[in-house]
Amino acid sequence: GGGSTQGGYASGAYEQDAMVLEQVRTRLEQMLGLAKASLAQTPAPGMGGAGGMFGGGGGGMFGGGGFGSGGGMFGGNNNSTYGSNNPQQQLHEKEVQVRLLTNACDACITHVRLIGLLRAESPRGLLPATPAGYVSSRICELAESSCVADFTHASGGDFGYEKWSTDLPNDAQLVCYLFCAFLETPGWVFSANGVATIEGSSRSAGAAAGGGSLYFARPPPSHVERFTAVLASRPPPVGGNGASKENGCAVVMPRGMADPRFSVYCGGDAPFVFDGPNGVWRSLCALALHARERNGGVLGTTRMGAANIALESIFQVPGRVL
């Protein structure tokens, strides 16, 4: 009961937070634009500083102990009649202002997109229609235990004072969705330049390194030969634009099944099917293994060996992975 109450509360809070944060972000971006313009117009240190024509510290035409010394008419080291008394300090303050506003904008973007993730919208189209608040509520419950000990592949958590039903995503679907969200935002560092769409990531990290693009929910365009995908339905057959291509690999998210079965298509119409408690884990391992062997260890924009990803480590343990 407590979890479902928390989920309902979180749902309303997230909706309100998202609207407020969007308004704050818009205002911050306006302020940031003005701050950058002001910074660009600020003269570099040395133009009117020590040794300048009207500079303070000594050595200028009116510097030293005459005009422009401490408190001089044309600028010195104290309050002057014209301009800043320290151009270098003025430049530094404006740089600090730009940096702080940039950080504030990034924080708003991160928070808004994290809210989208907890509302099953990042990436879109993978989970079935889900009541507001369930995803965030169940993620909190799974996070309370070590190694998702409360994971139940064919069901989930109670919600809205009712027991779990097939109207809600099961834990296997939720884990698959979170894995895709992690691939789209490696290390949970949210980019200011974009977020996953229903078509998937439009970015390709591995063109030069032999990697491929990453797609979610819908299959890639027909011209794409090398890719990794997690789809909401079965890919087109051989000759279409599905994962039947030799260098394409797709996991199909199960829909409306009491016992979820994950199908993995790699280079043919006949899929590998993984079910049971380990089905989702094995299908995602197959996806990572294909990327490792065929795409140079790259999943979309994610390098599996990166320190903040560490997906390569799953293939460095003794025993069988699949």
Short mmCIF file of all heavy atoms in Angstrom, two decimals, residues 34-82:
data_model
loop_
_atom_site.label_atom_id
_atom_site.label_comp_id
_atom_site.label_asym_id
_atom_site.label_seq_id
_atom_site.Cartn_x
_atom_site.Cartn_y
_atom_site.Cartn_z
N LEU A 34 21.84 36.35 -22.77
CA LEU A 34 22.24 37.72 -22.46
C LEU A 34 23.63 37.75 -21.81
O LEU A 34 24.45 38.63 -22.11
CB LEU A 34 21.22 38.37 -21.52
CG LEU A 34 19.82 38.62 -22.12
CD1 LEU A 34 18.86 39.12 -21.04
CD2 LEU A 34 19.90 39.62 -23.26
N ALA A 35 23.89 36.81 -20.92
CA ALA A 35 25.19 36.76 -20.25
C ALA A 35 26.32 36.48 -21.23
O ALA A 35 27.40 37.07 -21.15
CB ALA A 35 25.18 35.70 -19.15
N LYS A 36 26.08 35.60 -22.20
CA LYS A 36 27.10 35.29 -23.21
C LYS A 36 27.36 36.51 -24.09
O LYS A 36 28.50 36.78 -24.47
CB LYS A 36 26.66 34.10 -24.05
CG LYS A 36 26.74 32.76 -23.33
CD LYS A 36 26.34 31.63 -24.25
CE LYS A 36 26.52 30.28 -23.57
NZ LYS A 36 26.11 29.16 -24.46
N ALA A 37 26.29 37.22 -24.44
CA ALA A 37 26.45 38.42 -25.27
C ALA A 37 27.25 39.48 -24.52
O ALA A 37 28.12 40.14 -25.09
CB ALA A 37 25.08 38.96 -25.67
N SER A 38 26.98 39.62 -23.22
CA SER A 38 27.72 40.58 -22.41
C SER A 38 29.18 40.19 -22.28
O SER A 38 30.07 41.03 -22.36
CB SER A 38 27.08 40.69 -21.03
OG SER A 38 27.81 41.58 -20.19
N LEU A 39 29.42 38.90 -22.13
CA LEU A 39 30.80 38.42 -22.02
C LEU A 39 31.57 38.67 -23.31
O LEU A 39 32.74 39.06 -23.29
CB LEU A 39 30.79 36.92 -21.69
CG LEU A 39 32.15 36.23 -21.61
CD1 LEU A 39 33.01 36.84 -20.51
CD2 LEU A 39 31.98 34.73 -21.38
N ALA A 40 30.91 38.47 -24.45
CA ALA A 40 31.57 38.67 -25.74
C ALA A 40 31.97 40.12 -25.95
O ALA A 40 32.92 40.42 -26.68
CB ALA A 40 30.66 38.20 -26.87
N GLN A 41 31.25 41.06 -25.32
CA GLN A 41 31.54 42.48 -25.48
C GLN A 41 32.54 43.01 -24.46
O GLN A 41 32.93 44.17 -24.53
CB GLN A 41 30.24 43.27 -25.38
CG GLN A 41 29.24 42.96 -26.48
CD GLN A 41 27.89 43.62 -26.25
OE1 GLN A 41 27.71 44.34 -25.27
NE2 GLN A 41 26.95 43.39 -27.17
N THR A 42 32.94 42.16 -23.52
CA THR A 42 33.88 42.59 -22.49
C THR A 42 35.30 42.58 -23.03
O THR A 42 35.75 41.56 -23.54
CB THR A 42 33.79 41.67 -21.26
OG1 THR A 42 32.44 41.66 -20.78
CG2 THR A 42 34.72 42.15 -20.16
N PRO A 43 36.03 43.70 -22.96
CA PRO A 43 37.40 43.73 -23.49
C PRO A 43 38.31 42.81 -22.68
O PRO A 43 38.11 42.58 -21.49
CB PRO A 43 37.81 45.20 -23.33
CG PRO A 43 36.93 45.73 -22.25
CD PRO A 43 35.63 44.99 -22.38
N ALA A 44 39.29 42.29 -23.37
CA ALA A 44 40.26 41.42 -22.71
C ALA A 44 41.11 42.21 -21.73
O ALA A 44 41.32 43.41 -21.91
CB ALA A 44 41.15 40.75 -23.77
N PRO A 45 41.60 41.57 -20.67
CA PRO A 45 42.48 42.26 -19.72
C PRO A 45 43.70 42.85 -20.42
O PRO A 45 44.24 42.26 -21.36
CB PRO A 45 42.89 41.15 -18.76
CG PRO A 45 41.81 40.12 -18.87
CD PRO A 45 41.36 40.18 -20.30
N GLY A 46 44.13 44.04 -19.96
CA GLY A 46 45.28 44.70 -20.57
C GLY A 46 44.88 45.89 -21.39
O GLY A 46 45.67 46.78 -21.63
N MET A 47 43.60 45.91 -21.83
CA MET A 47 43.10 47.07 -22.59
C MET A 47 42.52 48.06 -21.60
O MET A 47 41.38 47.98 -21.20
CB MET A 47 42.04 46.63 -23.60
CG MET A 47 42.56 45.67 -24.64
SD MET A 47 41.28 45.22 -25.84
CE MET A 47 40.97 46.81 -26.60
N GLY A 48 43.34 48.95 -21.15
CA GLY A 48 42.90 49.94 -20.17
C GLY A 48 43.28 49.55 -18.77
O GLY A 48 42.90 50.21 -17.83
N GLY A 49 44.10 48.50 -18.60
CA GLY A 49 44.53 48.07 -17.28
C GLY A 49 45.88 48.67 -16.97
O GLY A 49 46.23 49.75 -17.40
N ALA A 50 46.68 47.93 -16.20
CA ALA A 50 47.99 48.45 -15.82
C ALA A 50 48.83 48.68 -17.05
O ALA A 50 48.98 47.80 -17.89
CB ALA A 50 48.68 47.45 -14.89
N GLY A 51 49.37 49.85 -17.16
CA GLY A 51 50.22 50.16 -18.30
C GLY A 51 49.45 50.64 -19.50
O GLY A 51 50.03 50.96 -20.51
N GLY A 52 48.09 50.69 -19.44
CA GLY A 52 47.31 51.15 -20.57
C GLY A 52 47.33 52.67 -20.64
O GLY A 52 47.82 53.36 -19.75
N MET A 53 46.73 53.19 -21.71
CA MET A 53 46.79 54.63 -21.92
C MET A 53 46.14 55.39 -20.77
O MET A 53 46.63 56.43 -20.34
CB MET A 53 46.10 54.98 -23.23
CG MET A 53 46.24 56.44 -23.65
SD MET A 53 45.60 56.69 -25.31
CE MET A 53 46.01 58.42 -25.53
N PHE A 54 45.00 54.86 -20.33
CA PHE A 54 44.34 55.49 -19.21
C PHE A 54 44.36 54.55 -18.00
O PHE A 54 43.52 54.64 -17.13
CB PHE A 54 42.88 55.85 -19.56
CG PHE A 54 42.79 56.84 -20.67
CD1 PHE A 54 42.54 56.43 -21.97
CD2 PHE A 54 42.97 58.19 -20.42
CE1 PHE A 54 42.48 57.34 -22.99
CE2 PHE A 54 42.89 59.10 -21.45
CZ PHE A 54 42.65 58.70 -22.74
N GLY A 55 45.28 53.59 -17.98
CA GLY A 55 45.31 52.55 -16.96
C GLY A 55 45.77 53.06 -15.64
O GLY A 55 46.26 54.16 -15.49
N GLY A 56 45.60 52.20 -14.64
CA GLY A 56 45.94 52.55 -13.29
C GLY A 56 47.35 52.21 -12.97
O GLY A 56 48.24 52.96 -13.19
N GLY A 57 47.68 51.06 -12.58
CA GLY A 57 48.92 50.64 -11.95
C GLY A 57 50.17 51.30 -12.35
O GLY A 57 50.70 51.40 -12.42
N GLY A 58 50.52 52.21 -12.99
CA GLY A 58 51.86 52.66 -13.25
C GLY A 58 52.32 52.25 -14.62
O GLY A 58 52.07 51.15 -15.08
N GLY A 59 53.01 53.17 -15.28
CA GLY A 59 53.54 52.85 -16.60
C GLY A 59 52.66 53.36 -17.71
O GLY A 59 53.10 53.50 -18.82
N GLY A 60 51.37 53.73 -17.43
CA GLY A 60 50.51 54.26 -18.47
C GLY A 60 50.76 55.74 -18.66
O GLY A 60 51.44 56.40 -17.88
N MET A 61 50.20 56.29 -19.75
CA MET A 61 50.43 57.71 -20.00
C MET A 61 49.94 58.56 -18.84
O MET A 61 50.56 59.55 -18.48
CB MET A 61 49.72 58.13 -21.29
CG MET A 61 49.92 59.62 -21.64
SD MET A 61 49.16 60.06 -23.21
CE MET A 61 50.24 59.23 -24.36
N PHE A 62 48.78 58.12 -18.26
CA PHE A 62 48.28 58.85 -17.10
C PHE A 62 48.31 57.95 -15.87
O PHE A 62 47.57 58.16 -14.93
CB PHE A 62 46.84 59.34 -17.35
CG PHE A 62 46.77 60.34 -18.47
CD1 PHE A 62 46.43 59.95 -19.75
CD2 PHE A 62 47.08 61.68 -18.24
CE1 PHE A 62 46.37 60.87 -20.78
CE2 PHE A 62 47.01 62.60 -19.26
CZ PHE A 62 46.67 62.19 -20.54
N GLY A 63 49.14 56.90 -15.91
CA GLY A 63 49.19 55.95 -14.81
C GLY A 63 50.13 56.41 -13.73
O GLY A 63 50.62 57.51 -13.70
N GLY A 64 50.40 55.45 -12.83
CA GLY A 64 51.33 55.74 -11.75
C GLY A 64 50.70 56.62 -10.71
O GLY A 64 49.57 56.44 -10.29
N GLY A 65 51.46 57.63 -10.29
CA GLY A 65 50.98 58.46 -9.20
C GLY A 65 50.13 59.61 -9.65
O GLY A 65 49.68 60.39 -8.83
N GLY A 66 49.93 59.79 -10.98
CA GLY A 66 49.12 60.90 -11.44
C GLY A 66 47.72 60.44 -11.74
O GLY A 66 47.08 59.76 -10.95
N PHE A 67 47.24 60.84 -12.95
CA PHE A 67 45.92 60.42 -13.36
C PHE A 67 45.87 58.90 -13.45
O PHE A 67 46.76 58.27 -14.01
CB PHE A 67 45.56 61.02 -14.73
CG PHE A 67 45.38 62.49 -14.69
CD1 PHE A 67 46.38 63.33 -15.15
CD2 PHE A 67 44.21 63.05 -14.19
CE1 PHE A 67 46.22 64.70 -15.13
CE2 PHE A 67 44.06 64.43 -14.16
CZ PHE A 67 45.06 65.25 -14.63
N GLY A 68 44.77 58.29 -13.00
CA GLY A 68 44.60 56.85 -13.15
C GLY A 68 45.27 56.06 -12.08
O GLY A 68 45.34 54.85 -12.17
N SER A 69 45.82 56.69 -11.06
CA SER A 69 46.33 55.93 -9.92
C SER A 69 45.14 55.55 -9.07
O SER A 69 44.04 55.41 -9.57
CB SER A 69 47.34 56.77 -9.15
OG SER A 69 47.91 56.02 -8.11
N GLY A 70 45.33 55.36 -7.77
CA GLY A 70 44.20 55.00 -6.93
C GLY A 70 43.11 56.04 -7.01
O GLY A 70 43.33 57.19 -6.64
N GLY A 71 41.95 55.65 -7.50
CA GLY A 71 40.81 56.56 -7.57
C GLY A 71 40.94 57.62 -8.62
O GLY A 71 40.29 58.66 -8.55
N GLY A 72 41.78 57.43 -9.63
CA GLY A 72 41.96 58.42 -10.67
C GLY A 72 40.74 58.60 -11.53
O GLY A 72 39.84 57.77 -11.56
N MET A 73 40.70 59.68 -12.30
CA MET A 73 39.52 60.00 -13.09
C MET A 73 39.26 58.97 -14.18
O MET A 73 38.13 58.67 -14.50
CB MET A 73 39.70 61.39 -13.72
CG MET A 73 38.50 61.87 -14.50
SD MET A 73 38.73 63.55 -15.09
CE MET A 73 37.17 63.81 -15.93
N PHE A 74 40.34 58.46 -14.78
CA PHE A 74 40.20 57.53 -15.88
C PHE A 74 40.52 56.10 -15.44
O PHE A 74 41.10 55.33 -16.20
CB PHE A 74 41.10 57.95 -17.06
CG PHE A 74 40.69 59.23 -17.67
CD1 PHE A 74 41.36 60.41 -17.34
CD2 PHE A 74 39.63 59.29 -18.55
CE1 PHE A 74 40.97 61.60 -17.89
CE2 PHE A 74 39.25 60.49 -19.11
CZ PHE A 74 39.91 61.66 -18.78
N GLY A 75 40.15 55.72 -14.28
CA GLY A 75 40.31 54.33 -13.84
C GLY A 75 41.55 54.15 -13.05
O GLY A 75 42.62 54.63 -13.40
N GLY A 76 41.46 53.52 -11.93
CA GLY A 76 42.61 53.19 -11.12
C GLY A 76 42.35 51.89 -10.43
O GLY A 76 41.81 50.97 -11.00
N ASN A 77 42.72 51.83 -9.18
CA ASN A 77 42.55 50.60 -8.43
C ASN A 77 41.35 50.65 -7.51
O ASN A 77 41.02 49.67 -6.87
CB ASN A 77 43.81 50.31 -7.60
CG ASN A 77 45.00 50.04 -8.49
OD1 ASN A 77 44.85 49.40 -9.52
ND2 ASN A 77 46.17 50.54 -8.10
N ASN A 78 40.72 51.83 -7.38
CA ASN A 78 39.54 51.94 -6.56
C ASN A 78 38.36 52.31 -7.44
O ASN A 78 38.30 51.94 -8.59
CB ASN A 78 39.77 52.98 -5.45
CG ASN A 78 40.92 52.59 -4.54
OD1 ASN A 78 41.01 51.44 -4.13
ND2 ASN A 78 41.79 53.54 -4.24
N ASN A 79 37.41 53.06 -6.91
CA ASN A 79 36.26 53.46 -7.70
C ASN A 79 36.65 54.56 -8.67
O ASN A 79 37.17 55.58 -8.28
CB ASN A 79 35.14 53.97 -6.77
CG ASN A 79 34.62 52.86 -5.88
OD1 ASN A 79 34.63 51.71 -6.28
ND2 ASN A 79 34.20 53.23 -4.67
N SER A 80 36.38 54.35 -9.95
CA SER A 80 36.73 55.33 -10.96
C SER A 80 35.47 55.92 -11.57
O SER A 80 34.39 55.36 -11.46
CB SER A 80 37.59 54.69 -12.05
OG SER A 80 36.88 53.62 -12.64
N THR A 81 35.65 57.00 -12.26
CA THR A 81 34.50 57.66 -12.86
C THR A 81 34.02 56.91 -14.09
O THR A 81 32.84 56.78 -14.33
CB THR A 81 34.88 59.11 -13.26
OG1 THR A 81 35.39 59.77 -12.12
CG2 THR A 81 33.67 59.85 -13.81
N TYR A 82 34.93 56.33 -14.87
CA TYR A 82 34.57 55.65 -16.11
C TYR A 82 35.05 54.20 -16.07
O TYR A 82 36.21 53.94 -15.83
CB TYR A 82 35.20 56.35 -17.33
CG TYR A 82 34.77 57.77 -17.49
CD1 TYR A 82 35.58 58.82 -17.04
CD2 TYR A 82 33.56 58.08 -18.08
CE1 TYR A 82 35.19 60.13 -17.19
CE2 TYR A 82 33.16 59.38 -18.22
CZ TYR A 82 33.97 60.40 -17.78
OH TYR A 82 33.58 61.70 -17.92
#
